[in-house]
Amino acid sequence: MKFKKNLYLYTFLFFVLWIIIFLNLKPITNFLIFDLIGLKAETHLGESIWFFVYEVPKVLLLLVLIVFGVGIVRSYFSPEKTRKTLEGKPLFVGNILASLLGIVTPFCSCSAIPLFLGFVEAGIPIGVTFSFLIAAPMVNEIALVLLLGLFGWKVALIYLVTGLLIAIFSGWIIGKLKMEKYVADWVYGVKSNREIIEEAKLPFTKRIESGYQVVKEIVGKIWVYILIGIAVGAGVHGYVPDNYLASLLGDQNWYSVPLAILIGIPLYSNAAGIIPIVSVLIEKGVSLGTALAFMMSVIALSLPEIIILKKVLKWPFIVTFVLIVAFGIITVGYLFNFIM
Amino acid sequence: MEIKILGTGCSKCKNLEKATLQAIQELSIEASVIKVEDIVEIMQYGVMQTPGLVINGKVVLTGKLPSNPKLKELILTNQ
């Protein structure tokens, strides 16, 4: 097929085009908004619209690039392989490994239950399984690269390290607390056929194709959330005065971190939708620790996820899980408010 | 032949069911398509990512929504 032969060429052209557009976004936006439409830079409306027109393509471009790269990386991993790696690992080492694998293993929250059952059935300890289930949604590549693009590498690194630590220690504590008895009884009765579809070694062109496939799938699904996220961000950016939120959610207030987490739990969004909002929160005077805590809470502790988990866990387990993770997030929040 | 779609109700699972129905119609093959939503039954197939596609009792695909040609190929080779 002609397309296959030219796959590398197309991918190369795609990168060149990507770089050209990305580097020239600011002048293009300035031209469109101020010269062509004639909005004034100093007005609320001008600022809001500029923010929206600039941020949407920027975030989408970053997203396409990251998701493409991750699609290729993830083609080397699968839940089955991850399960095999984790089998028979001692508790603490298992927690660390599970958290790290949580970043790279393909994971969708709708598969959380089959994955949980598959791990438990293979005899992987509950604590190790939870390290994976906490890390997989929270420390994800989309969050990391968007943080990198909007706040720089320090914030992204902080997020990566603290997110991993929360996943490792929460899972470890859950393991130590012997929460097994609060798993729904039917779970241990599940017997599964361990026959795995043999995966043939994929040639690299196949992996590139899978990268494109994942871009289509993920960007196609979340672009709406990004638009909404940035629209909210743009409104706040143009119309809410700087430092407006500082008195409520700035670092002087001891209750700002727990409050941010409480607000975050009922909200449900993926990383891509929440980050534009977080960037505006910081601009308006919310301290970094509080903003990160809010973001982690929205992504890692959400009502829909709790409802899904209720199928396999009893209430004491769910309450413990939420409390431990919330405690971890609060610690991270205070830590950053303290050192930044 | 018997085709089962394993899935607890996520959007990908519904799309796979639609795509499968369309594929067998286009291939004009006689097949029963059953949607399995019970998680215990799903687990018996050892599937950790939904949706799963089971043809004549054999898991042929998990966690993915295949393209139409790929789906047809899977159906034909596992007939």
Side-chain angles (χ1 to χ4, degrees):
Chain A
M1 264 179 3
K2 201 169 176 206
F3 178 76
K4 266 190 189 141
K5 230 190 215 162
N6 291 329
L7 193 63
Y8 289 111
L9 181 67
Y10 283 127
T11 307
F12 176 74
L13 287 178
F14 163 79
F15 275 116
V16 172
L17 195 67
W18 191 97
I19 291 169
I20 293 173
I21 298 178
F22 194 77
L23 291 179
N24 290 297
L25 260 185
K26 234 177 203 151
I28 295 173
T29 314
N30 283 340
F31 173 75
L32 275 175
I33 301 296
F34 301 137
D35 299 338
L36 211 65
I37 307 181
L39 285 169
K40 294 275 178 298
E42 301 79 27
T43 59
H44 290 321
L45 185 68
E47 274 195 33
S48 282
I49 293 189
W50 188 90
F51 184 87
F52 187 78
V53 173
Y54 173 65
E55 289 292 328
V56 167
K58 181 174 128 190
V59 171
L60 285 181
L61 277 172
L62 282 170
L63 195 69
V64 165
L65 190 70
I66 304 148
V67 170
F68 178 69
V70 167
I72 293 177
V73 171
R74 289 219 163 139
S75 68
Y76 291 93
F77 293 86
S78 72
E80 286 79 12
K81 277 190 211 160
T82 293
R83 175 167 72 175
K84 210 162 179 203
T85 315
L86 291 176
E87 265 179 277
K89 289 285 182 302
L91 203 56
F92 199 63
V93 177
N95 291 110
I96 296 174
L97 255 177
S99 304
L100 290 170
L101 285 167
I103 307 176
V104 287
T105 309
F107 175 79
C108 145
S109 58
C110 52
S111 288
I113 298 297
L115 201 128
F116 174 84
L117 294 172
F119 276 29
V120 170
E121 205 261 336
I124 294 169
I126 266 310
V128 174
T129 305
F130 261 85
S131 280
F132 181 88
L133 285 176
I134 294 167
M138 184 159 70
V139 190
N140 68 66
E141 69 295 340
I142 296 174
L144 286 177
V145 183
L146 288 177
L147 286 174
L148 186 73
L150 295 170
F151 303 109
W153 66 271
K154 272 188 197 158
V155 175
L157 189 67
I158 287 169
Y159 186 85
L160 170 72
V161 173
T162 55
L164 279 175
L165 287 177
I166 291 176
I168 292 168
F169 282 100
S170 300
W172 183 70
I173 294 168
I174 287 172
K176 282 282 169 205
L177 288 176
K178 306 246 179 292
M179 299 303 289
E180 283 84 352
K181 53 180 177 290
Y182 297 115
V183 171
D185 303 318
W186 62 268
V187 167
Y188 296 113
V190 171
K191 283 275 164 292
S192 81
N193 186 345
R194 293 288 296 279
E195 213 183 315
I196 302 169
I197 313 165
E198 274 302 313
E199 256 179 83
K201 260 206 152 62
L202 289 173
F204 197 69
T205 49
K206 279 272 174 223
R207 297 189 189 276
I208 293 181
E209 279 173 28
S210 114
Y212 283 117
Q213 182 64 34
V214 176
V215 166
K216 218 173 90 186
E217 196 178 292
I218 293 188
V219 178
K221 200 163 64 186
I222 66 178
W223 68 271
V224 187
Y225 300 99
I226 293 180
L227 280 195
I228 296 171
I230 296 175
V232 172
V236 178
H237 176 83
Y239 287 92
V240 178
D242 282 2
N243 290 320
Y244 176 79
L245 292 168
S247 58
L248 186 64
L249 292 170
D251 56 3
Q252 307 84 347
N253 272 334
W254 67 268
Y255 56 80
S256 69
V257 174
L259 182 66
I261 292 169
L262 280 181
I263 300 173
I265 292 178
L267 295 179
Y268 176 65
S269 167
N270 43 47
I274 198 71
I275 288 177
I277 295 176
V278 168
S279 91
V280 169
L281 287 179
I282 290 177
E283 186 190 301
K284 299 302 174 192
V286 175
S287 49
L288 181 66
T290 308
L292 281 184
F294 174 68
M295 179 179 158
M296 285 177 167
S297 159
V298 171
I299 302 176
L301 291 175
S302 70
L303 229 41
E305 199 195 328
I306 290 170
I307 292 166
I308 291 178
L309 285 176
K310 183 66 189 71
K311 282 189 199 162
V312 285
L313 305 178
K314 294 177 187 164
W315 281 117
F317 197 144
I318 293 187
V319 172
T320 313
F321 161 73
V322 171
L323 286 179
I324 292 173
V325 176
F327 179 77
I329 299 175
I330 288 176
T331 313
V332 167
Y334 280 132
L335 191 67
F336 286 101
N337 283 348
F338 184 69
I339 48 178
M340 295 304 238
Chain B
M1 70 196 280
E2 186 190 62
I3 299 178
K4 283 184 180 167
I5 315 283
L6 314 178
T8 46
C10 55
S11 59
K12 254 195 212 171
C13 314
K14 286 176 198 137
N15 289 336
L16 180 63
E17 189 183 11
K18 269 186 227 153
T20 309
L21 286 171
Q22 195 194 338
I24 53 174
Q25 198 182 12
E26 284 172 19
L27 292 167
S28 27
I29 285 178
E30 282 283 318
S32 64
V33 175
I34 306 164
K35 183 97 188 290
V36 180
E37 294 191 347
D38 178 38
I39 186 74
V40 176
E41 202 181 335
I42 291 176
M43 288 314 292
Q44 284 165 358
Y45 289 98
V47 166
M48 280 207 287
Q49 281 175 298
T50 52
L53 183 66
V54 176
I55 300 179
N56 292 333
K58 193 177 145 219
V59 180
V60 296
L61 193 77
T62 60
K64 276 182 219 131
L65 183 62
S67 62
N68 181 284
K70 173 83 185 160
L71 190 55
K72 282 181 184 162
E73 188 193 313
L74 281 172
I75 294 173
L76 288 175
T77 49
N78 290 288
Q79 226 173 349

